[in-house]
Amino acid sequence: MAKRAQLNFHRPLRDSVDEQGQARPCAMGVGWVNEDTQATLKKRAIPRTDPKGRPLKEDS
């Protein structure tokens, strides 16, 4: 099986993770969206979408 190097920012060492046919993230302990991107998204009126990009129905 393939091994992937995985870095966890809460610990100073990197680990080798066995994927076992399932992809694993390479970085752990880090937010996916930085503060600048979050601020930009708050200013824009972007509708939420599903994984295929179709707008979600509003639950109101």
Side-chain angles (χ1 to χ4, degrees):
M1 289 286 160
K3 294 232 181 212
R4 177 178 295 239
Q6 186 179 64
L7 178 63
N8 188 339
F9 286 93
H10 296 293
R11 291 182 286 163
L13 302 174
R14 71 173 179 88
D15 297 325
S16 292
V17 179
D18 189 7
E19 290 187 333
Q20 299 176 353
Q22 180 69 33
R24 304 280 186 231
C26 293
M28 302 290 287
V30 180
W32 289 102
V33 181
N34 64 28
E35 295 174 11
D36 295 331
T37 303
Q38 288 177 353
T40 301
L41 291 174
K42 286 178 184 176
K43 293 178 184 178
R44 310 247 348 210
I46 301 172
R48 294 187 58 188
T49 61
D50 66 5
K52 294 188 178 184
R54 297 180 295 232
L56 293 175
K57 295 179 182 176
E58 294 296 327
D59 293 334
S60 293

